Amino acid sequence: MLISKYFPSLTIRQSEAEALLRLAEPIKDSLFPIVRIQAWPHPKKGEGGPIVRSTDHIEAAYGSRPVGIDLAQPLPPSDKIYKTQDRADWAALGRSEVSALHNPVNGYQAWCSFIASDERRIPVVQWTDDAAILRSQVQQLASLNRGLIFRFRRSQGWNLTQAAGLTNFFLGQTHILMIYDFEQIGNRDDLTSIGIATQSAILSSNMQISGGSRTHVFIASSFPSEFTSIGEEYACLAIRERQLYEMLKTSPPLVTSGIDLNYGDHAAIFASERLPAFRGVPRVDYPTPGEWIYHRRREGFQDAARRVRADAKWDDGNLCWGAQRIREAANGHMKGLGAPGKWTTIRMNIHMHVQAQFGNASLSTDEPWVD
């Protein structure tokens, strides 16, 4: 039975891996990440192929703890011009390895074997429209006795069509992690309206699976993809996924159905298959339990960090790695802090640190549930 307080959804890239690595060990103990495997983009002699490099980074960041393992979509062939033939070959190998794991032959046998090869891997079932292949995959993964993860994604119609292939397929006492992933929440979306639609999808998803003991998790992201239109130099943004979570957690139909929702999110990343843009004016983000603040300064990251440090929202009791990096930058110690990617890592580290401590705690919201 999972006792985690917080369920961040990650795709293993350099920023996510380091943000997870830099969390304190007790914080890591209180979260359960669900990571999407993809090909690691940077080759290193003697360190294995693109998929092995990716899993090695998970192990280095999270240790021997069990971790949810999902699979990123395969990338199409690229017309990118690589500096060397070795890098071009590496990229092609990565696409090939990911595509191989997506092969549905024999009930996704390649995926099932990949999961079976490491006992720490808790599998996310890969959806398919072929009911026989889906059932074969689920049976193979369930036989590992590690539990199963079903991820229902809003952009895929909550996968209700595919899940219908499991009708009358009884999972006995297998522990099931049911993830309801709304993905991206727009800054103008009406939370009550999308909450009602999401509530209906959760109830339908839950009914599609037979048997099993269950942990239910709602996941979404409202982190924006651009900032110029929000605030040229400063903004304070509500973490809308937490607001929506709190509305859903107390919704009478879910409570009546015995669905006790846990909290997860996309770890302060725009929820999409692509990397979020971080170009232009230097920006330093500071996550709090219910808000993100940011300061953008043309003068550079040091000036932005100084303004974050002086902001009324700053918590001087937060001593996590990311907060310490902001303190260092504000004091003029900028070694290793001049690249935008490092500030993505810092934001994610602070966000996961804060959310892991709050877990399922209720934060105030100005948008009441209306059903």
Side-chain angles (χ1 to χ4, degrees):
M1 183 71 176
L2 290 169
I3 56 173
S4 301
K5 295 180 180 180
Y6 171 50
F7 297 80
S9 175
L10 307 172
T11 299
I12 288 300
R13 305 183 182 99
Q14 185 67 51
S15 55
E16 282 91 334
E18 186 176 5
L20 186 60
L21 170 68
R22 300 292 188 174
L23 290 172
E25 295 301 306
I27 295 294
K28 293 180 188 180
D29 291 337
S30 67
L31 57 81
F32 181 77
I34 302 98
V35 301
R36 286 189 294 188
I37 295 295
Q38 65 177 7
W40 194 258
H42 309 299
K44 190 174 182 180
K45 280 191 175 182
E47 296 290 337
I51 293 294
V52 169
R53 291 274 287 140
S54 186
T55 55
D56 284 350
H57 278 80
I58 297 171
E59 181 180 350
Y62 201 57
S64 60
R65 301 170 181 85
V67 59
I69 299 292
D70 201 352
L71 184 57
Q73 291 299 309
L75 295 175
S78 173
D79 56 3
K80 177 180 177 180
I81 299 175
Y82 293 90
K83 293 182 179 179
T84 67
Q85 186 59 44
D86 284 348
R87 286 192 172 272
D89 292 343
W90 178 268
L93 177 61
R95 290 192 295 269
S96 175
E97 288 186 350
V98 173
S99 293
L101 292 178
H102 277 281
N103 191 335
V105 168
N106 295 328
Y108 283 87
Q109 186 174 18
W111 174 243
C112 295
S113 297
F114 172 77
I115 294 295
S117 66
D118 191 322
E119 63 183 8
R120 293 167 295 188
R121 297 171 184 169
I122 312 301
V124 174
V125 171
Q126 303 303 302
W127 293 112
T128 173
D129 292 331
D130 189 311
I133 290 175
L134 177 63
R135 287 175 176 235
S136 175
Q137 176 195 182
V138 170
Q139 191 167 32
Q140 291 179 71
L141 294 175
S143 70
L144 298 174
N145 295 317
R146 300 179 196 166
L148 294 172
I149 303 173
F150 289 99
R151 185 176 198 145
F152 302 91
R153 298 175 67 180
R154 188 269 306 245
S155 66
Q156 304 301 314
W158 297 101
N159 300 101
L160 294 177
T161 300
Q162 295 94 333
L166 294 175
T167 301
N168 300 322
F169 188 82
F170 189 65
L171 286 167
Q173 297 304 307
T174 301
H175 183 73
I176 301 169
L177 179 58
M178 302 281 284
I179 297 178
Y180 312 104
D181 189 353
F182 188 86
E183 299 166 295
Q184 191 66 29
I185 304 172
N187 61 358
R188 295 184 179 179
D189 286 346
D190 178 76
L191 290 189
T192 297
S193 176
I194 64 174
I196 292 172
T198 302
Q199 170 187 272
S200 175
I202 290 174
L203 291 169
S204 297
S205 302
N206 188 48
M207 290 178 62
Q208 296 278 29
I209 309 298
S210 301
S213 58
R214 306 188 183 190
T215 297
H216 302 273
V217 179
F218 173 75
I219 286 177
S221 177
S222 60
F223 196 82
S225 60
E226 62 85 25
F227 296 84
T228 304
S229 63
I230 299 172
E232 184 62 32
E233 293 191 349
Y234 168 83
C236 179
L237 308 174
I239 300 179
R240 307 195 80 206
E241 53 267 41
R242 183 165 273 287
Q243 292 179 333
L244 182 54
Y245 160 75
E246 290 171 3
M247 294 164 62
L248 289 167
K249 183 176 175 61
T250 57
S251 102
L254 296 190
V255 173
T256 300
S257 298
I259 296 176
D260 181 16
L261 276 185
N262 293 272
Y263 178 74
D265 56 32
H266 288 265
I269 287 289
F270 185 82
S272 74
E273 294 289 346
R274 63 176 177 81
L275 280 168
F278 193 158
R279 300 183 180 91
V281 179
R283 191 187 79 242
V284 173
D285 308 305
Y286 184 67
T288 73
E291 296 170 318
W292 295 299
I293 68 164
Y294 70 77
H295 288 264
R296 300 171 81 234
R297 300 297 296 169
R298 295 186 182 278
E299 291 81 356
F301 288 112
Q302 181 179 338
D303 193 56
R306 188 182 299 118
R307 288 173 181 264
V308 167
R309 179 69 180 78
D311 196 287
K313 299 283 186 179
W314 176 265
D315 177 9
D316 215 37
N318 186 343
L319 301 178
C320 74
W321 175 84
Q324 296 287 49
R325 301 293 78 73
I326 293 178
R327 288 184 176 91
E328 289 177 3
N331 290 330
H333 304 296
M334 289 295 297
K335 184 178 181 180
L337 299 178
K342 180 63 72 174
W343 291 98
T344 298
T345 301
I346 288 168
R347 177 185 75 236
M348 295 183 70
N349 176 265
I350 299 172
H351 179 87
M352 288 192 286
H353 173 87
V354 171
Q355 296 302 327
Q357 294 184 88
F358 274 81
N360 299 333
S362 179
L363 305 178
S364 62
T365 175
D366 294 331
E367 300 198 42
W369 175 260
V370 179
D371 192 359

